[in-house]
Amino acid sequence: MSDHDPSAISEAPRIGLGTDLHRLEAGRPCILGGVHFEDCEVGPAGHSDGDAVLHAICDAMLGAAGLDDLGTLFPDSSQANRDRSSREFLAEATRAVEAKRLRLASLDIVVQCDRPKLAPRRAELREVLASLLGLPVDRVNIKGKTFERTAQREVVAVQAVALLVPRR
Ligand code: MG
């Protein structure tokens, strides 16, 4: 077996990293991780609903599967993607991953923003994401961090790592 024998690694898990950054603007609905933060006065600006958490998850999954990224699959130049729910992007990314005979096994996410505060709704976020992704809750983690008000503009920044395993 040579080091370049593809069968030697075909069953190995695959890891992917996804990041996203959106400006937070007044008057936009604040939807992050599929959860609506009704009391937040700012929300992520974007061509779709701006859900930076779901966008980062998509890119982590697509990256692990060796596929094109979200911006390539769903260009913001397309009118069809305007104000689209990012839940639809996540469903498409899941289908693309499954078509490669892979499935998501675990996910870890860091969300950085000064508002909204994620901690009070962290359990709900984990449950919503687990349900959207068809995973047990303990396979999905999400943590909030602030910028300590050091950011020049108000933004939400997300990092996600996804582990994919071969689908049996
Ligand atoms: Mg985005």
Side-chain angles (χ1 to χ4, degrees), residues 19-22 45-46 48 50-53 55-56 70 86:
T19 73
D20 199 22
L21 178 78
H22 281 248
S48 64
D51 189 333
V53 174
H55 297 176
L70 191 66
S86 296

Side-chain angles (χ1 to χ4, degrees), residues 41-108:
E41 289 121 7
V42 292
H47 189 72
S48 64
D49 63 10
D51 189 333
V53 174
L54 296 195
H55 297 176
I57 293 171
C58 285
D59 268 348
M61 291 171 58
L62 293 167
L67 294 165
D68 284 339
D69 69 357
L70 191 66
T72 308
L73 293 177
F74 304 106
D76 63 8
S77 54
S78 164
Q79 276 305 315
N81 296 326
R82 175 168 285 279
D83 295 329
R84 233 176 128 182
S85 166
S86 296
R87 290 179 181 226
E88 292 176 33
F89 299 153
L90 194 66
E92 295 269 358
T94 300
R95 272 194 286 278
V97 161
E98 285 176 353
K100 292 206 71 177
R101 302 213 53 77
L102 295 163
R103 64 174 311 241
L104 184 62
S106 76
L107 190 64
D108 193 20

Side-chain angles (χ1 to χ4, degrees), residues 3 7 12 16 31 47 81 88 98 115 124 127 135 139 160 167:
D3 287 347
S7 66
I31 299 169
H47 189 72
N81 296 326
E88 292 176 33
E98 285 176 353
R115 54 181 176 169
E124 180 187 356
E127 274 169 30
L135 280 179
R139 294 273 179 157
R167 204 154 59 97

Side-chain angles (χ1 to χ4, degrees), residues 2-168:
S2 90
D3 287 347
H4 300 292
D5 178 0
S7 66
I9 55 169
S10 64
E11 295 298 306
R14 298 164 66 133
I15 195 163
L17 169 67
T19 73
D20 199 22
L21 178 78
H22 281 248
R23 261 193 336 271
L24 291 168
E25 289 183 351
R28 290 274 302 180
C30 189
I31 299 169
L32 289 169
V35 169
H36 189 191
F37 292 79
E38 299 88 352
D39 298 336
C40 189
E41 289 121 7
V42 292
H47 189 72
S48 64
D49 63 10
D51 189 333
V53 174
L54 296 195
H55 297 176
I57 293 171
C58 285
D59 268 348
M61 291 171 58
L62 293 167
L67 294 165
D68 284 339
D69 69 357
L70 191 66
T72 308
L73 293 177
F74 304 106
D76 63 8
S77 54
S78 164
Q79 276 305 315
N81 296 326
R82 175 168 285 279
D83 295 329
R84 233 176 128 182
S85 166
S86 296
R87 290 179 181 226
E88 292 176 33
F89 299 153
L90 194 66
E92 295 269 358
T94 300
R95 272 194 286 278
V97 161
E98 285 176 353
K100 292 206 71 177
R101 302 213 53 77
L102 295 163
R103 64 174 311 241
L104 184 62
S106 76
L107 190 64
D108 193 20
I109 306 155
V110 177
V111 183
Q112 207 170 0
C113 56
D114 285 335
R115 54 181 176 169
K117 291 275 175 259
L118 264 64
R121 298 183 71 179
R122 192 165 156 262
E124 180 187 356
L125 279 161
R126 290 183 77 178
E127 274 169 30
V128 168
L129 290 171
S131 149
L132 287 174
L133 293 159
L135 280 179
V137 172
D138 74 347
R139 294 273 179 157
V140 181
N141 208 350
I142 183 163
K143 288 96 73 180
K145 293 179 76 73
T146 73
F147 283 106
E148 305 287 345
R149 298 171 200 249
T150 57
Q152 291 191 319
R153 304 185 77 158
E154 205 167 5
V155 297
V156 55
V158 184
Q159 294 172 296
V161 284
L163 191 74
L164 303 185
V165 293
R167 204 154 59 97
R168 307 214 178 267

